[in-house]
Amino acid sequence: MHRRRASPTSSTSPLSLPTTGTRPITTTGDSRGKDSPKTCLSLLISALKITKEVSSACPQLQLAVGALLTVLEAYKRYSETTEAIETLLSRIQPLNEILKKIQSDGDCPQALKDRLAALASKVTEVVKAAKEVQSKRWILQLMNSVNYTEKAQSWIKMLDWHIRSFVRGFKAMNARFDQVIEGITVVKEGINELNVTPLHKALRPVIEALLYNKSNVHVQCYENTRTEVLETLSSWLQPRHPPFSNQPILWLYALAGSGKSTIALTIADQWMRDDLLGASFFCARDGQRSDVNCIFRTIAYQLALRFPEFQEQLTKILKMDPDLHSTNPTRQLEKLIVAPLQAVHANTTNETPFPANVAVVIDALDECTDNNAVSIILKSLALYIGQLAPLKFLITSRPEENITRGFLLQSLDENTHRFALNKIPEDLTKRDISLFLRSRLATIGNGFDLGASWPAPERIENLVGLSEHLFIFAALAARHIENPAERDPDGRLRSLLDAGNAAAAKRGISTSAFPILDALYIQVLETAAKKLGDTLKAQLKLVLGTIVLAEQRLSPGTLDALLDLPTGTVRRVLPVFGAILTIPDREDDTTPIGIIHLSFPNFLVDPDRCTDQSFLVTPRIHHSYVAFRCLNMMKVLKYNILEVVSKHDRVLNSEIPNLSTRLSQRIPAPLEYACRYWTRHLCEAEIGEDLLTALEEFCTSHLLHWLEVLSLLGSLQSAQTCLKAQSLRATDAPSLLYDCERAVRAFHPIVSTSAMHMYSNIAIFVPLDTPIQGLAAVHARTSLEVRVGLENTWSDTLVSCVMDESSLAVLAFSPDGIYVACGQWGGTIRLFNAHTGAAVQVFGGYAVMSIQCLSFSPTGKELLSGIDKGVVDLWDVETGAKLNTWKTHSRFVGSVAWSPDGTLAASASSDNTVRLWRVASPETMVVLQHDGLVFHIVYAPDGDLLSGSWDETCKIWDTRCADWDTETDVKPTRTLQHGSLVTTVAVSSDSCLVACSLYNGKIVLWTKSDGQRLRSLPGQSQVISLAVYPSGLLAAAYKGSPFMLWDVSTGALVKSADNEGATAAAFASDGVHIAHDTNKQLHVRLWPVEVKQNMTRATGITAKLKQLSRGLSVDDHKPVGNCRTDLRAATTSPTGKLVLAVYYDELRMYEVSTGRRMRTIDHYSSDFPSAAWSSTGRLFACAARDHAVHVWQAENGEHVRTLTGHSGRVTRILFTCDEQHVLSASDDGTIRRDKIEVQTSSEVLFQSVGDWIWCLAILSSSRRNDSPPDTPSADLLAHPSRQPVKSEYGFYYALRLHDVTTGNVVWIEYHQHRITSVAFSEDCTRALAGNNEGEVFLYDLTQIIPLRSPPPTAVPEHKLTVRGTDRYIPRISFSSDGRVVITDRTYTSIPSELQPLHTAYTDRSLTAISFYEGDWLWRINHPDSDPRRLCWIPPIFRPHKNSVEPFLSASGQFIVYFTLGGSLIVMDGASIC
């Protein structure tokens, strides 16, 4: 029966609150009688004639089909092979459709031509066989007519097979080429996918979400149903009367089962036919259709295909920023849609290329994964809704909270028409359901020859009444009744009505909200189960449970493998469930099984709804089995699963050739699912002995292999589903799981980008006594080892993030503890993931203003910031967009706060006021007054606002009673008086306790209700952060003192934690995590283990494993106690065997090859000490705090001599080559020479009043002058090449060359910037100088060294282009062969004409250079080779000011530096050159 699409008619009118039926499912029944053989053959001949006409793209096929027609015409009179001909006819029809489409396109790719030619060849063979049969027709008939018929059938079946194979080939090709679109377009674009368009590559659209894609399980409205609703939608798009004229968004919403998607599909199809549809995105809870990050880029892709002018502008934007597809939805909307639209409008002078209104349909938005308090899609639209014309958005969804909140945003509220399907008059809904059921059941009755009177009208009315106005009930009932496998529609209808009426009778007893729909589901399940054998029936619950609980939709083959079922089991089980599931074709094993409606999964796991225990799925038990199967499937994982060929393991994922192809070949769909989601199933599982044993085996054998796969898949987030925010402690989980969690946190940037290097990084940098280190070392293809600097066990620091040059001013945790916001003195706010350290967002940036305070909203989705200009900004956390700005104060804003319900915001300032306003309507503000600057404010959970001020009070305000209409003074409800300035205030979670920190460090505790002072807690310095935990503990962060944890009930100190010099700190609400800064690094750490055990309970995997671990190895993982983090300088001996480490109060000497500490010497060094070795390594020297220089013997640590004379800090120490003298430079402006073995007075080689000497090399120095240097001197052998230049700071900088014997200046050169490092080549014919701007200069000294006369007019200077230097250069040197300049962070080859004149022969294996750049340690083996990565350096191991000091020795290559945290690192890379 022909079905036309539903469309509004002129007799219908739009609804202000409009309505769905569904188009019928095609029946397999056939009411026709059997056609005669001759009739069938005539039909076949007619079809083949069409084939001949449309096969012009392949002349060979056209000729072959013509020959076949000749044979068939002659054969027509004798054919009795009706069944074979009918089958062949069914094959010819899709072939003709393919050929017609190719003919209309006029483009036949070569791959298609080859396939058509192959088919033509097969048809020719069939013609030959047919002619042979025909030539022997009489003989065969005389001998045995059956033989003749069989022969005829054989060539017809052969022809059928070849055509079917041809069509199947296209289907397979379609699957291989990503199933671009359904039908013939799929085939054609599948072939051409080998040359995917640049636009497709750049945007990566989700083709499955498009209107006509076969992944869409929904159907269109049944004819003549929903006419009022469809007319309403049409009137909105093409407004002919209010209220639609100025509303670019229509929100169609209703509860599940109301037909929203059916309506969306129908109207989108109608708009497509009317050329009004610009784009569509049909969301679903599987794959990328559930990813909000895919919506706008897919819409942009469709708009580009639809409008060439739009595509042109979009292409320009993508060329400038090719990674836009990976950005957040807000930026995608701005750059991929808004910007091209605006550009098209700007470049259009005449008629616009767009229609007046272009429809964009986003269906089932609630099925996208979006945990934001406000839908990110709606939030993005709210920002740009005024710039999207002519686009008009139809959005359908359930009225979920985050979507409802989104439409309450002011800009959307003003531009959205709300359309609630549930408010459509019930009689219209009942009419449409009745119309749908009457027509569908009539079709079913015709198909099964049940007569025109079936079913009786009263039975239809009964069924309509049972639907409860849910179209999903009507659609499922029709599918259930029609089921061709049962072939008993009347019996099914009868049983369905009986079950429904019984459920309706129990309506007052049942606790289900949908008792009749539930009865339908039970009826479908029971009927289907009867058709299954005992074996399949036993597997039924397993299959259905996995379908509804799986994290993504799975194909039948994937389900078989995942559940360890015999191949084909799922396909044998599922056909009887056609009423509730969509099953892909047997030849298609890539398309997942679909669920007709989401109400079915909800029903199956709810014991109040699914009352039959044989079908009820218990999630905990089912998750346990799926987790067990996932763990078993992952036993096939191995190192380098993609079999990447590489000499080293430093290749990045993005550098792996043919990554996507390798992934599909090596990681099939079942294994990929297991790797992605086993943790999620485990989190929900009931863990028993079998599962625990499988988990233990997995951890010891494949844990790192699993991380490798997730890294390759780009799904490392899956690794943290259970391992990240679960307070995993060593006392709660097997040590390997704990190590995995810590490694993912510490090394997240490299684990997520280089699966191959992950093993090396873990082997190199994890603590020494961790089990995971051994697992990684097995596969780590590196000989790089850290000899000094590793901890024995994991420290309390979870993650570290390196900031830019600007220091941190303030920190704040999000309410859920997932993010840390960092406000910087430079005016930037940065958002980091507290679990991985990954940078998430950067907010604005102020050129000259600093961030003074931050506060997350109660939902964590907005952020308030205050700056030093009296301004408060409101930011959207997800998008980074500034939502609002308020100029609230005349002076700097020191604190901001949110009310508990998020409706009010407050700010405190040094103008002695607190200002309060309503976030939604901030036109008026309430002013709260103090007598001194207000340093801190905080809201109590009961809604009171507390403010701490320098007037020595903490005031409590009842802001709930604020009068927003008058300017009357507001009085505090209570004032807590102190004897010192109040700097910080905190309130307990029950609003009973108030803690106030004072300027002197003391903390005073009060009862909030009556203002009674309880006790005081002592403090050593100013409190920078304060928090009261629900456990009754008070956390205090002090500036320059350890963090303290106090018991508020007793006043006892519970625990302290090292401060590490923090100036900003924050405490997470979980009572476990602390964030603080150190040396421009952000650290997220934990309170010590014993405290965490008291404060939190185990959750997730760890809580379940704690009781069942059965003695698995568990460490305490306490921080190592002997690691010093106050290193001030480090230097290696000339032999490369020893390292001297300089600390505040001692010197330590380490043996490089073993990392063993040789000796410790008491010594108080200066803040920036200088240390040096003699040329043979026999002696070493170090500057002291009293400006003296001390000399020791390296062999036994015996003190040799103390050299005095300097009145300022010693900046550089050097030994002469004969080890007889020590040269020292100081910021007192002198260079001194001392004899080591002889007790004589210090000799001043050079002195200049007011000069600072920054650096020194033998015979060389650099200094700063407040006045131009005095150049006339008889000792000068060469004059400066330029005049002195006064710097912006008022200083003059000069580079001088001294005669070591006399100290006289023999050459001077002026510089604009401060020289920070100098060096000589070994033959003294060249010199290098680096400055604080990253510039490097090379000087040719051949004319003045050795000193000679007459002198040259100037020393030749060459400015070298040094890669990677944009900051000051603290170290510079020549390589051992003189061919390379080595700085603290990189290397640069010296042009051959500028290289030193004489260099000793150097073994090339000893010329390797290591340098640090871009978070990596690099190695260049010789000047002519390219650099290669050695290893990625984790943040806590990164060099302080890039202070890598490479050193060559006979035993190999060692790298020595100290970290930003003040730790000594010694690396041995002896075997990696």
Side-chain angles (χ1 to χ4, degrees):
M1 181 182 295
H2 175 66
R3 300 293 178 190
R4 62 183 178 86
R5 63 185 177 89
S7 61
T9 63
S10 58
S11 61
T12 60
S13 59
L15 294 169
S16 57
L17 288 171
T19 0
T20 178
T22 57
R23 181 171 288 180
I25 307 300
T26 303
T27 179
T28 57
D30 189 356
S31 59
R32 290 183 313 164
K34 289 290 183 180
D35 291 318
S36 67
K38 291 182 174 57
T39 301
C40 291
L41 193 55
S42 296
L43 292 173
L44 177 60
I45 292 173
S46 298
L48 283 172
K49 288 180 178 179
I50 296 175
T51 305
K52 182 181 178 182
E53 293 176 0
V54 298
S55 59
S56 57
C58 181
Q60 303 101 308
L61 180 61
Q62 202 167 32
L63 290 173
V65 172
L68 181 62
L69 282 170
T70 302
V71 174
L72 287 174
E73 289 288 348
Y75 182 71
K76 184 176 179 180
R77 290 175 297 170
Y78 309 103
S79 175
E80 298 295 331
T81 56
T82 304
E83 183 177 353
I85 293 174
E86 286 183 333
T87 302
L88 179 58
L89 180 60
S90 69
R91 308 300 181 193
I92 296 291
Q93 290 170 344
L95 174 64
N96 287 347
E97 291 176 2
I98 294 174
L99 296 173
K100 285 178 183 178
K101 181 62 178 177
I102 296 172
Q103 186 184 50
S104 64
D105 287 347
D107 177 24
C108 185
Q110 186 60 45
L112 180 56
K113 288 181 179 179
D114 294 341
R115 285 183 173 273
L116 289 171
L119 176 62
S121 175
K122 298 296 183 182
V123 172
T124 302
E125 293 177 6
V126 171
V127 170
K128 183 178 179 181
K131 287 182 177 180
E132 182 179 355
V133 171
Q134 190 176 22
S135 66
K136 300 177 181 179
R137 174 172 54 86
W138 293 110
I139 298 176
L140 291 171
Q141 279 187 327
L142 287 172
M143 293 178 60
N144 190 339
S145 61
V146 175
N147 288 341
Y148 178 78
T149 302
E150 289 178 350
K151 290 284 185 179
Q153 285 182 339
S154 67
W155 66 259
I156 292 177
K157 289 181 178 179
M158 187 185 307
L159 182 62
D160 168 76
W161 170 256
H162 292 319
I163 295 176
R164 183 171 56 173
S165 298
F166 175 80
V167 175
R168 281 182 177 178
F170 276 103
K171 289 183 178 180
M173 186 179 296
N174 174 34
R176 289 198 304 272
F177 295 142
D178 297 329
Q179 303 175 340
V180 179
I181 120 187
E182 192 174 11
I184 305 307
T185 305
V186 172
V187 177
K188 188 173 184 298
E189 293 202 5
I191 295 172
N192 289 326
E193 186 68 12
L194 295 172
N195 298 310
V196 177
T197 65
L199 186 66
H200 190 284
K201 288 183 179 179
L203 291 178
R204 304 183 187 182
V206 181
I207 303 302
E208 295 82 1
L210 303 189
L211 173 61
Y212 294 121
N213 192 269
K214 67 180 181 180
S215 298
N216 195 332
V217 300
H218 299 290
V219 293
Q220 293 190 31
C221 296
Y222 198 75
E223 60 179 325
N224 297 324
T225 64
R226 294 302 205 182
T227 53
E228 291 85 0
V229 176
L230 297 173
E231 175 63 23
T232 299
L233 299 180
S234 295
S235 297
W236 163 75
L237 183 64
Q238 302 280 40
R240 292 182 287 273
H241 53 76
F244 300 120
S245 55
N246 295 317
Q247 294 173 308
I249 297 178
L250 189 146
W251 179 30
L252 181 71
Y253 63 95
L255 296 177
S258 301
K260 302 179 295 297
S261 295
T262 299
I263 293 172
L265 189 67
T266 304
I267 197 66
D269 177 71
Q270 177 181 316
W271 288 337
M272 170 69 81
R273 296 172 186 272
D274 294 340
D275 208 24
L276 296 174
L277 183 69
S280 61
F281 194 100
F282 287 82
C283 308
R285 297 196 180 186
D286 61 287
Q288 289 186 303
R289 290 188 293 170
S290 67
D291 189 348
V292 292
N293 296 302
C294 298
I295 294 179
F296 287 134
R297 73 187 195 213
T298 303
I299 290 173
Y301 174 75
Q302 295 172 81
L303 291 174
L305 296 181
R306 175 82 166 75
F307 303 107
E309 296 85 355
F310 182 93
Q311 182 176 144
E312 180 182 354
Q313 298 301 326
L314 178 60
T315 301
K316 294 178 181 178
I317 293 171
L318 289 170
K319 286 182 179 179
M320 297 175 61
D321 191 350
D323 296 323
L324 280 171
H325 70 273
S326 63
T327 58
N328 61 53
T330 302
R331 183 164 177 80
Q332 287 186 33
L333 177 61
E334 176 193 4
K335 296 297 183 180
L336 300 180
I337 298 178
V338 174
L341 281 174
Q342 298 300 314
V344 171
H345 292 323
N347 294 331
T348 301
T349 55
N350 299 319
E351 185 177 352
T352 175
F354 302 112
N357 296 297
V358 177
V360 176
V361 177
I362 301 177
D363 176 56
L365 182 59
D366 57 287
E367 295 194 20
C368 282
T369 302
D370 186 354
N371 296 321
N372 294 283
V374 177
S375 165
I376 183 61
I377 296 299
L378 299 182
K379 198 182 299 183
S380 303
L381 286 172
L383 293 174
Y384 298 104
I385 191 60
Q387 305 173 51
L388 287 168
L391 303 185
K392 299 187 75 173
F393 289 80
L394 168 62
I395 300 174
T396 75
S397 76
R398 302 190 214 185
E400 301 289 353
E401 182 181 2
N402 69 331
I403 295 176
T404 302
R405 289 189 63 182
F407 281 111
L408 290 177
L409 295 171
Q410 183 176 356
S411 59
L412 288 191
D413 188 45
E414 297 171 349
N415 289 281
T416 299
H417 178 76
R418 290 169 172 76
F419 193 162
L421 281 181
N422 63 306
K423 294 185 179 181
I424 294 175
E426 291 185 0
D427 60 328
L428 293 182
T429 303
K430 184 177 179 180
R431 180 204 66 189
D432 286 344
I433 292 177
S434 177
L435 180 63
F436 164 73
L437 285 174
R438 290 178 187 278
S439 181
R440 284 287 288 115
L441 293 181
T443 302
I444 294 171
N446 291 336
F448 287 93
D449 294 326
L450 295 177
S453 61
W454 185 92
E458 61 271 14
R459 299 176 77 185
I460 294 179
E461 288 303 313
N462 189 358
L463 195 58
V464 172
L466 292 176
S467 70
E468 298 180 305
H469 303 99
L470 291 176
F471 275 88
I472 186 60
F473 178 92
L476 292 177
R479 290 172 66 95
H480 175 66
I481 294 168
E482 182 188 30
N483 194 316
E486 180 74 10
R487 301 191 65 81
D488 183 18
D490 189 66
R492 287 199 164 210
L493 175 59
R494 187 186 315 110
S495 60
L496 177 58
L497 291 175
D498 291 342
N501 292 330
K506 298 178 181 179
R507 188 185 300 275
I509 302 174
S510 174
T511 57
S512 171
F514 308 100
I516 302 178
L517 180 62
D518 296 345
L520 171 60
Y521 282 135
I522 288 290
Q523 179 67 30
V524 170
L525 293 172
E526 288 178 346
T527 304
K530 293 176 182 177
K531 301 299 178 183
L532 302 176
D534 293 339
T535 302
L536 292 180
K537 191 179 298 183
Q539 296 164 339
L540 175 59
K541 183 189 289 192
L542 178 63
V543 173
L544 289 178
T546 305
I547 289 173
V548 301
L549 293 178
E551 293 294 328
Q552 69 179 42
R553 298 286 175 250
L554 303 173
S555 68
T558 299
L559 263 178
D560 282 336
L562 181 63
L563 299 178
D564 196 24
L565 298 174
T567 302
T569 297
V570 172
R571 285 197 176 276
R572 288 194 295 274
V573 169
L574 294 187
V576 294
F577 294 99
I580 52 180
L581 301 174
T582 60
I583 299 96
D585 295 337
R586 185 166 296 277
E587 297 84 3
D588 180 4
D589 201 33
T590 58
T591 300
I593 299 164
I595 299 175
I596 295 296
H597 201 265
L598 292 176
S599 59
F600 178 65
N602 298 334
F603 157 81
L604 209 58
V605 300
D606 188 345
D608 292 331
R609 299 181 61 189
C610 184
T611 55
D612 190 331
Q613 293 297 315
S614 59
F615 303 118
L616 176 65
V617 173
T618 304
R620 288 187 301 106
I621 297 175
H622 208 98
H623 280 299
S624 298
Y625 181 74
V626 176
F628 177 80
R629 283 296 309 143
C630 288
L631 291 170
N632 276 275
M633 289 200 70
M634 290 189 292
K635 289 181 179 179
V636 301
L637 298 180
K638 63 178 182 177
Y639 168 74
N640 191 10
I641 193 169
L642 299 188
E643 299 183 358
V644 177
V645 178
S646 176
K647 295 181 180 179
H648 306 284
D649 62 349
R650 270 77 66 179
V651 62
L652 301 179
N653 294 344
S654 59
E655 298 170 346
I656 297 176
N658 305 315
L659 177 61
S660 59
T661 302
R662 290 172 182 262
L663 285 172
S664 61
Q665 292 174 347
R666 304 291 181 180
I667 308 175
L671 181 59
E672 179 180 345
Y673 181 89
C675 291
R676 286 183 185 273
Y677 300 117
W678 75 268
T679 55
R680 298 192 185 182
H681 289 292
L682 194 63
C683 280
E684 303 296 330
E686 185 178 87
I687 298 182
E689 293 293 322
D690 291 343
L691 184 55
L692 189 66
T693 300
L695 178 62
E696 182 180 359
E697 180 182 349
F698 169 76
C699 288
T700 55
S701 302
H702 301 292
L703 189 61
L704 292 182
H705 301 154
W706 167 60
L707 286 184
E708 176 188 333
V709 171
L710 290 184
S711 175
L712 293 167
L713 292 173
S715 300
L716 194 64
Q717 188 67 23
S718 299
Q720 298 179 24
T721 301
C722 293
L723 301 180
K724 61 175 185 179
Q726 310 247 0
S727 302
L728 285 180
R729 301 173 299 284
T731 52
D732 288 333
S735 54
L736 279 170
L737 274 180
Y738 178 79
D739 286 349
C740 181
E741 184 260 349
R742 292 300 303 268
V744 170
R745 284 179 180 247
F747 311 135
H748 183 269
I750 195 63
V751 175
S752 61
T753 57
S754 179
M756 303 305 299
H757 186 63
M758 172 192 69
Y759 295 93
S760 297
N761 227 82
I762 292 176
I764 294 171
F765 292 110
V766 296
L768 296 169
D769 297 335
T770 54
I772 202 171
Q773 196 275 342
L775 293 181
V778 172
H779 301 299
R781 290 183 291 175
T782 180
S783 58
L784 189 67
E785 294 184 59
V786 178
R787 298 296 192 190
V788 179
L790 288 181
E791 296 173 319
N792 292 326
T793 55
W794 292 104
S795 73
D796 281 332
T797 299
L798 299 175
V799 295
S800 297
C801 314
V802 179
M803 309 297 289
D804 57 16
E805 294 299 319
S806 179
S807 299
L808 291 176
V810 63
L811 296 169
F813 270 104
S814 61
D816 56 11
I818 294 178
Y819 301 114
V820 178
C822 308
Q824 297 180 265
W825 290 112
T828 300
I829 304 171
R830 300 181 186 275
L831 190 70
F832 292 91
N833 186 304
H835 302 299
T836 65
V840 177
Q841 193 64 264
V842 177
F843 302 91
Y846 302 93
V848 295
M849 297 178 241
S850 62
I851 306 298
Q852 299 288 328
C853 50
L854 296 169
S855 179
F856 279 94
S857 66
T859 64
K861 306 308 177 184
E862 295 84 24
L863 182 70
L864 283 175
S865 67
I867 61 175
D868 55 8
K869 297 298 183 181
V871 172
V872 175
D873 288 314
L874 177 64
W875 305 90
D876 181 80
V877 171
E878 177 71 23
T879 65
K882 185 186 293 186
L883 303 178
N884 217 328
T885 297
W886 301 288
K887 172 69 174 175
T888 58
H889 298 275
S890 59
R891 301 177 66 185
F892 78 83
V893 178
S895 183
V896 287
W898 292 83
S899 63
D901 61 3
T903 60
L904 303 179
S907 60
S909 171
S910 58
D911 64 5
N912 302 349
T913 67
V914 176
R915 295 184 181 265
L916 183 72
W917 65 96
R918 292 170 292 191
V919 178
S921 53
E923 296 80 12
T924 58
M925 293 189 178
V926 172
V927 179
L928 312 178
Q929 193 70 47
H930 270 271
D931 294 328
L933 69 85
V934 188
F935 204 80
H936 191 250
I937 54 175
V938 64
Y939 263 100
D942 63 5
D944 284 345
L945 179 67
L946 290 83
S947 56
S949 169
W950 281 26
D951 62 8
E952 302 183 353
T953 68
C954 172
K955 294 184 178 182
I956 304 175
W957 313 83
D958 184 359
T959 60
R960 293 160 293 190
C961 301
D963 188 345
W964 301 97
D965 299 322
T966 64
E967 297 182 1
T968 56
D969 292 337
V970 180
K971 303 297 183 183
T973 58
R974 181 164 284 103
T975 298
L976 308 178
Q977 189 66 50
H978 301 79
S980 181
L981 312 180
V982 180
T983 59
T984 311
V985 182
V987 187
S988 62
S989 58
D990 59 5
S991 299
C992 294
L993 180 73
V994 177
C996 299
S997 67
L998 308 183
Y999 188 75
N1000 58 16
K1002 183 186 296 185
I1003 299 174
V1004 183
L1005 303 179
W1006 306 78
T1007 56
K1008 177 175 173 290
S1009 59
D1010 57 9
Q1012 181 181 349
R1013 183 168 179 156
L1014 298 177
R1015 62 180 53 85
S1016 297
L1017 305 175
Q1020 301 176 354
S1021 60
Q1022 181 181 345
V1023 176
I1024 56 177
S1025 186
L1026 201 62
V1028 182
Y1029 295 143
S1031 59
L1033 299 178
L1034 174 69
Y1038 298 87
K1039 189 173 184 177
S1041 300
F1043 297 162
M1044 301 288 188
L1045 199 64
W1046 304 89
D1047 187 330
V1048 297
S1049 61
T1050 64
L1053 177 63
V1054 177
K1055 197 68 182 179
S1056 64
D1058 292 339
N1059 182 311
E1060 301 183 3
T1063 59
F1067 299 102
S1069 59
D1070 61 5
V1072 176
H1073 293 84
I1074 310 168
H1076 66 87
D1077 71 315
T1078 301
N1079 295 322
K1080 297 179 182 178
Q1081 277 190 314
L1082 168 67
H1083 301 285
V1084 178
R1085 58 188 295 193
L1086 306 174
W1087 285 107
V1089 172
E1090 56 267 34
V1091 177
K1092 292 181 289 180
Q1093 291 172 343
N1094 292 333
M1095 294 192 314
T1096 62
R1097 62 182 180 87
T1099 56
I1101 290 177
T1102 57
K1104 300 170 186 284
L1105 294 180
K1106 185 174 182 180
Q1107 298 176 350
L1108 299 168
S1109 59
R1110 298 183 293 108
L1112 290 178
S1113 173
V1114 173
D1115 298 329
D1116 287 338
H1117 291 287
K1118 296 179 181 178
V1120 66
N1122 59 353
C1123 283
R1124 296 199 60 164
T1125 57
D1126 58 343
L1127 184 70
R1128 299 191 170 189
T1131 183
T1132 54
S1133 67
T1135 62
K1137 296 180 178 180
L1138 301 174
V1139 173
L1140 179 67
V1142 182
Y1143 295 91
Y1144 170 77
D1145 56 357
E1146 66 181 20
L1147 306 178
R1148 291 183 179 182
M1149 187 177 295
Y1150 293 91
E1151 186 178 48
V1152 171
S1153 60
T1154 64
R1156 181 172 63 94
R1157 192 199 305 184
M1158 303 290 293
R1159 63 183 51 86
T1160 301
I1161 300 172
D1162 291 336
H1163 173 77
Y1164 287 91
S1165 64
S1166 59
D1167 290 339
F1168 302 97
S1170 178
W1173 292 86
S1174 65
S1175 59
T1176 64
R1178 183 176 65 87
L1179 302 171
F1180 65 89
C1182 186
R1185 191 180 308 169
D1186 60 2
H1187 313 314
V1189 176
H1190 296 264
V1191 182
W1192 292 269
Q1193 289 187 4
E1195 185 177 0
N1196 54 23
E1198 180 181 340
H1199 187 267
V1200 176
R1201 191 178 174 199
T1202 300
L1203 311 176
T1204 60
H1206 286 295
S1207 60
R1209 179 176 62 91
V1210 176
T1211 58
R1212 194 75 165 107
I1213 301 172
L1214 293 172
F1215 284 89
T1216 57
C1217 294
D1218 58 7
E1219 297 186 336
Q1220 297 299 309
H1221 296 84
V1222 171
L1223 299 178
S1224 57
S1226 170
D1227 58 15
D1228 63 7
T1230 66
I1231 301 175
R1232 291 180 176 270
R1233 179 171 58 188
D1234 291 271
K1235 290 185 177 181
I1236 299 173
E1237 304 294 343
V1238 181
Q1239 296 289 337
T1240 59
S1241 300
S1242 176
E1243 178 185 2
V1244 178
L1245 291 180
F1246 177 79
Q1247 181 170 10
S1248 179
V1249 178
D1251 292 344
W1252 291 4
I1253 300 180
W1254 297 102
C1255 52
L1256 179 70
I1258 295 294
L1259 304 177
S1260 176
S1261 70
S1262 173
R1263 68 190 187 112
R1264 183 195 76 187
N1265 255 319
D1266 294 325
S1267 58
D1270 184 18
T1271 56
S1273 171
D1275 297 320
L1276 283 181
L1277 299 180
H1279 293 280
S1281 62
R1282 48 183 170 263
Q1283 296 297 314
V1285 178
K1286 190 173 185 179
S1287 73
E1288 58 181 321
Y1289 301 106
F1291 302 127
Y1292 293 86
Y1293 300 110
L1295 178 69
R1296 289 181 171 84
L1297 182 67
H1298 298 267
D1299 184 339
V1300 167
T1301 306
T1302 64
N1304 294 334
V1305 176
V1306 296
W1307 167 62
I1308 187 171
E1309 183 61 86
Y1310 302 124
H1311 280 265
Q1312 184 177 359
H1313 303 290
R1314 175 166 62 92
I1315 301 297
T1316 56
S1317 55
V1318 291
F1320 276 93
S1321 63
E1322 191 163 340
D1323 65 353
C1324 293
T1325 62
R1326 301 289 188 269
L1328 292 171
N1331 65 22
N1332 63 345
E1333 294 295 318
E1335 298 173 320
V1336 173
F1337 299 89
L1338 183 143
Y1339 297 94
D1340 183 351
L1341 304 180
T1342 54
Q1343 299 301 313
I1344 56 175
I1345 297 180
L1347 305 179
R1348 65 184 67 182
S1349 174
T1353 57
V1355 172
E1357 177 187 84
H1358 305 275
K1359 185 176 180 179
L1360 301 180
T1361 302
V1362 180
R1363 59 189 293 270
T1365 56
D1366 56 0
R1367 51 177 295 279
Y1368 87 100
I1369 301 174
R1371 287 179 176 81
I1372 196 168
S1373 63
F1374 287 90
S1375 62
S1376 59
D1377 61 0
R1379 300 168 61 190
V1380 172
V1381 174
I1382 305 172
T1383 69
D1384 60 310
R1385 64 162 55 188
T1386 187
Y1387 76 98
T1388 298
S1389 296
I1390 302 175
S1392 57
E1393 66 274 12
L1394 300 180
Q1395 293 175 6
L1397 298 182
H1398 309 288
T1399 56
Y1401 171 77
T1402 303
D1403 186 346
R1404 173 160 286 195
S1405 65
L1406 299 179
T1407 62
I1409 300 165
S1410 300
F1411 60 94
Y1412 172 75
E1413 183 177 73
D1415 302 339
W1416 285 79
L1417 190 64
W1418 296 78
R1419 167 69 53 83
I1420 175 172
N1421 288 333
H1422 54 83
D1424 299 325
S1425 65
D1426 294 327
R1428 61 187 179 90
R1429 303 182 185 97
L1430 285 185
C1431 69
W1432 177 82
I1433 306 295
I1436 61 172
F1437 290 94
R1438 288 180 186 165
H1440 184 276
K1441 297 180 180 178
N1442 297 318
S1443 59
V1444 178
E1445 185 175 327
F1447 182 80
L1448 290 170
S1449 69
S1451 59
Q1453 174 84 21
F1454 295 97
I1455 303 162
V1456 179
Y1457 65 90
F1458 59 97
T1459 68
L1460 289 164
S1463 298
L1464 173 67
I1465 303 295
V1466 178
M1467 291 185 181
D1468 179 4
S1471 304
I1472 58 176
C1473 294

